[in-house]
Amino acid sequence: MSTVLFVYAKGGPPLGYALSRVAARSAVHLLALSTLPPTVAASAERRCASVRTATGPERGDLVSLIVSRAQAVGADAVITFSEYAVVAVAEACEKLGLAGAGASCALARDKRLMRRVWERQGIAQPRFRPVADERELQDAAAALRLPVLLKAAWSAGSTAHRIIRATDEVPAAWQRAREVMAESAELGYAELHVADAGADFLVEEIVPGTADGWFDQAGWGDYVSVEGVVVDGVFRPVCLSGRMPTVEPFTERAGITPAALPADAQRRVVALAREAVDALGLENCGTHTEIKLGADGRMWVIETAARFGGAMTVPQIEEVFGLDLIGMLVDHLLGRPVSWPARALTPQEARGAAGSLVVLAVDGAGDAWPDRRRWDFPTVRDAVPLSAGSRLSVVAENSLPDGSPVPVYDPAAGANTMAALCLLSATDPETVLRDFRTLVDALPSVLPHEERHHEHEETKKAGTDTQCTKKTAEARS
């Protein structure tokens, strides 16, 4: 039987889901670079031939750790689904002579390198500048068209994003972005292989996105993602995911599979994604490419990744199109034949639709809820009227326990301040979008009020909510 070393770190699809798909294809040894979610720890012990946790000094030379562990278990393939471990795993596979993302994997991880490659290739993207300190940020803000977006080069889940509308906002934006990256690193949401990656930033112009003219239904966000895979250096698109509008600055609220784009628009989006992925020279890995939509058919590539989309993107694809992407990639890495889609699948080929909603304490307009509430999924399930045939569930691995306070939304922390991740299945993507809008509108009124004690306890609680929620923010994409 073939053997796979599964390198786990935070982010990516839920561990329980991913592990079950890998274990169905091979014997699996788990190397955990983050503490296993409590809801998965017991099943991991049952499914895996071994579970080794490496969260201390031994992670200092991460590539050597992965190589030595792969050799010890006789791994025929090494795989990860975490943004924070893809570079280390790619380098380890190179040393082991195993199929992997390849030597250029860092181009799909460091947003500065990624953007430079696309700039040389003439691929449409926002104008940008790498920045290493506050002075460089001041110079970039003066040279680019305001407003601009400051983002961390190695982050995920919209962490440390700051919109700068005037040059006098630079000092505060720089300070807060660095603080958030430091906080995320303490909780394991940071690049694991590259030293001091949290200090690397870039700033980019905010392009004028719009969903008008792209979708027949109002309410869609102004960007989509192309989900795919690179097989022996050839990009194979699988499908498109749509979005609800983001929450300021650019925090994702929901992903919906499939995106309800007309066929011609989908073909154009996929063609741009192909250019972007091909330029990076990847070899064997999942891909997730985000593309901004503009007026008159304009498009810009925002970023791509050498891994599958996070949160419930991969489970949604399996539900809607019947494709187990994780199992298929494992088979390919093990040298088995795999029948990848000949082209990106369309809504007409889907069996219904599915979407995942990040619960944030903001309403449909992006404004903060008027009072504090507690997360309670049974209340949401029973009180919110959804469309006939729609099914709502909660992803326990990515959610706070029922009864937990819903954290105050922090724009700089992005998905760090989520309370839960909900999964919805429906007849079509338009219904998913409509039901999600209903959910977002209903949450601040149907969830139970947070019990208030004296002022001291309330103040202390507000200071700890964000830390508590960060520990559940596995749903980053």
Side-chain angles (χ1 to χ4, degrees):
M1 187 176 189
S2 299
T3 299
V4 171
L5 177 65
F6 184 159
V7 180
Y8 167 71
K10 293 186 177 183
L15 175 60
Y17 172 88
L19 189 56
S20 68
R21 271 61 184 173
V22 178
R25 296 303 210 280
S26 66
V28 56
H29 294 262
L30 186 64
L31 176 58
L33 306 180
S34 304
T35 302
L36 298 183
T39 56
V40 181
S43 62
E45 292 286 349
R46 293 193 303 271
R47 286 194 171 114
C48 297
S50 71
V51 177
R52 177 176 172 182
T53 301
T55 58
E58 62 183 327
R59 286 195 340 196
D61 186 349
L62 189 53
V63 173
S64 294
L65 171 65
I66 296 169
V67 168
S68 63
R69 188 60 184 156
Q71 291 171 333
V73 303
D76 301 296
V78 181
I79 197 165
T80 189
F81 303 104
S82 169
E83 180 83 349
Y84 307 118
V86 291
V87 176
V89 168
E91 292 188 13
C93 288
E94 290 286 294
K95 291 181 179 295
L96 291 162
L98 300 176
S104 67
C105 180
L107 299 181
R109 180 73 180 97
D110 183 342
K111 296 176 178 63
R112 302 166 303 172
L113 299 178
M114 187 187 307
R115 292 295 184 80
R116 286 174 179 142
V117 170
W118 290 341
E119 187 176 46
R120 289 194 296 270
Q121 296 286 334
I123 295 172
Q125 62 177 328
R127 292 178 62 209
F128 72 100
R129 290 278 190 92
V131 292
D133 53 39
E134 185 179 326
R135 180 173 180 178
E136 289 189 2
L137 179 56
Q138 286 279 11
D139 293 342
L144 298 174
R145 184 188 67 246
L146 296 173
V148 294
L149 178 65
L150 174 65
K151 59 170 62 173
W154 299 83
S155 69
S158 304
T159 304
H161 280 25
R162 298 287 291 181
I163 295 176
I164 300 172
R165 295 180 172 84
T167 54
D168 61 2
E169 298 176 1
V170 164
W174 180 252
Q175 178 178 347
R176 182 58 183 145
R178 288 177 60 85
E179 289 173 352
V180 169
M181 288 304 293
E183 293 165 1
S184 293
E186 291 177 3
L187 294 165
Y189 297 106
E191 170 61 32
L192 294 169
H193 177 47
V194 178
D196 300 320
D200 299 331
F201 288 82
L202 74 156
V203 64
E204 63 187 37
E205 292 183 349
I206 298 177
V207 292
T210 180
D212 293 345
W214 290 91
F215 296 93
D216 295 331
Q217 177 190 24
W220 288 91
D222 60 4
Y223 72 112
V224 295
S225 58
V226 180
E227 321 302 344
V229 65
V230 176
V231 178
D232 296 331
V234 178
F235 175 57
R236 305 294 295 266
V238 172
C239 67
L240 271 64
S241 299
R243 297 294 192 279
M244 292 182 75
T246 57
V247 180
E248 188 172 339
F250 288 101
T251 302
E252 295 187 359
R253 194 196 287 270
I256 300 172
T257 307
L261 277 181
D264 181 63
Q266 174 162 314
R267 283 192 293 269
R268 293 183 59 241
V269 168
V270 170
L272 180 57
R274 185 182 302 279
E275 291 182 36
V277 174
D278 286 350
L280 301 180
L282 299 171
E283 295 180 9
N284 294 283
C285 59
T287 61
H288 172 76
T289 308
E290 296 180 353
I291 293 179
K292 189 84 163 180
L293 308 175
D296 302 319
R298 294 193 68 188
M299 296 179 289
W300 302 267
V301 183
I302 301 301
E303 58 189 55
T304 196
R307 45 87 181 165
F308 293 127
M312 296 299 287
T313 302
V314 175
Q316 289 166 203
I317 291 171
E318 183 171 11
E319 176 178 343
V320 171
F321 291 111
L323 297 176
D324 171 11
L325 293 185
I326 288 177
M328 294 166 72
L329 180 58
V330 168
D331 280 343
H332 173 70
L333 295 177
L334 292 173
R336 300 167 182 163
V338 178
S339 296
W340 299 101
R343 50 171 175 71
L345 301 173
T346 67
Q348 289 69 37
E349 298 166 280
R351 300 176 302 193
S356 45
L357 177 76
V358 176
V359 175
L360 302 167
V362 289
D363 62 19
D367 296 325
W369 291 354
D371 51 23
R372 302 296 302 277
R373 299 280 172 157
R374 289 186 177 273
W375 173 245
D376 186 76
F377 177 70
T379 296
V380 174
R381 180 192 57 210
D382 296 341
V384 180
L386 301 177
S387 301
S390 293
R391 303 182 306 279
L392 184 69
S393 59
V394 67
V395 184
E397 185 181 323
N398 307 112
S399 303
L400 290 174
D402 290 330
S404 301
V406 175
V408 174
Y409 176 65
D410 179 357
N416 282 357
T417 46
M418 65 179 284
L421 182 67
C422 292
L423 178 67
L424 184 95
S425 301
T427 55
D428 51 60
E430 292 85 358
T431 301
V432 175
L433 178 62
R434 184 169 60 250
D435 283 348
F436 275 167
R437 294 175 72 178
T438 298
L439 269 170
V440 168
D441 290 341
L443 286 173
S445 58
V446 301
L447 287 174
H449 287 275
E450 180 181 357
E451 295 179 6
R452 296 183 179 273
H453 303 293
H454 54 78
E455 188 67 25
H456 172 71
E457 289 298 317
E458 184 68 16
T459 301
K460 183 170 68 173
K461 191 184 303 176
T464 59
D465 277 349
T466 298
Q467 296 296 322
C468 178
T469 306
K470 286 178 183 176
K471 297 178 183 178
T472 73
E474 295 280 345
R476 300 179 174 189
S477 54

